[in-house]
Amino acid sequence: MNRPPPEPVQVIKHRRDAALEALVGGIPYLRHLGIRFERRGDELTSILPYADKLIGNPMLPALHGGATAAFLETTATIALAWSRLWDEIESGRVDPEALGPETMPRMPKTIDITIDYLRSGLPRDAYARARINRSGRRYASVQVEAWQDNRDRLYAQALVHFVMPHARGDG
């Protein structure tokens, strides 16, 4: 039985990184806020680098609640889209090098979001990770946790519900 040799790790890593870059690069609002994503395997950590424009109350100073909300929602959205794209890339159904605006999978749409502001966001970098509680054909539920200096001291968390897009070719 002859099997083809496994792909080199660098090739697999490049393919995954290219897919993530195409997914994130298609959302101008992420660039505006400066949000970026780091990937370790299939796990994503989003990073909101500190910028003066993110301060809502300069007397404290504290991160603006809207910036925090946008950070949490986009983290949930990208994590959900990434999980779907990951399956398609790993199965070989999608070539990450060919991903563009016309070939990118459609993004899930937010139904509602509940945010818990647990403490003031300090004027420093913030990090977030999402956990997909449920992802079906029509509906998804994602929980997001955000922290700054210490992963055990969250400054905000959210529960986001989504309507899932129809797969291409579905009615």
Side-chain angles (χ1 to χ4, degrees):
M1 178 158 88
N2 287 334
R3 291 186 195 170
E7 290 181 293
V9 172
Q10 298 87 347
V11 171
I12 295 168
K13 184 176 188 289
H14 174 73
R15 181 174 57 233
R16 292 172 181 169
D17 289 343
L20 180 60
E21 181 59 36
L23 181 64
V24 172
I27 304 173
Y29 190 57
L30 293 178
R31 283 193 306 275
H32 173 72
L33 290 177
I35 297 172
R36 64 183 196 277
F37 290 81
E38 289 185 355
R39 183 191 62 77
R40 299 287 183 263
D42 66 343
E43 181 179 72
L44 295 179
T45 300
S46 60
I47 302 163
L48 176 64
Y50 172 75
D52 287 338
K53 68 181 178 182
L54 301 176
I55 295 296
N57 184 343
M59 299 303 286
L60 292 178
L63 291 180
H64 191 283
T68 296
F71 180 48
L72 293 167
E73 184 177 7
T74 57
T75 297
T77 304
I78 292 296
L80 187 56
W82 174 247
S83 73
R84 293 176 57 142
L85 187 58
W86 175 273
D87 291 339
E88 292 182 10
I89 291 167
E90 296 304 303
S91 69
R93 292 187 308 250
V94 169
D95 176 14
E97 302 296 330
L99 286 175
E102 298 81 31
T103 57
M104 185 64 66
R106 293 171 43 203
M107 299 296 276
K109 303 294 183 209
T110 304
I111 298 171
D112 67 30
I113 181 169
T114 302
I115 301 171
D116 297 324
Y117 296 97
L118 305 171
R119 65 185 89 255
S120 293
L122 301 172
R124 55 188 66 146
D125 293 354
Y127 309 91
R129 284 201 186 128
R131 184 178 69 242
I132 300 168
N133 297 328
R134 181 188 191 287
S135 179
R137 288 181 31 208
R138 296 184 179 147
Y139 167 85
S141 175
V142 180
Q143 184 173 347
V144 185
E145 297 179 336
W147 70 94
Q148 290 184 301
D149 296 325
N150 182 339
R151 176 85 201 269
D152 293 329
R153 285 184 43 88
L154 303 179
Y155 83 96
Q157 62 186 9
L159 181 60
V160 190
H161 299 118
F162 294 94
V163 170
M164 299 302 288
H166 295 291
R168 294 187 194 279
D170 286 357

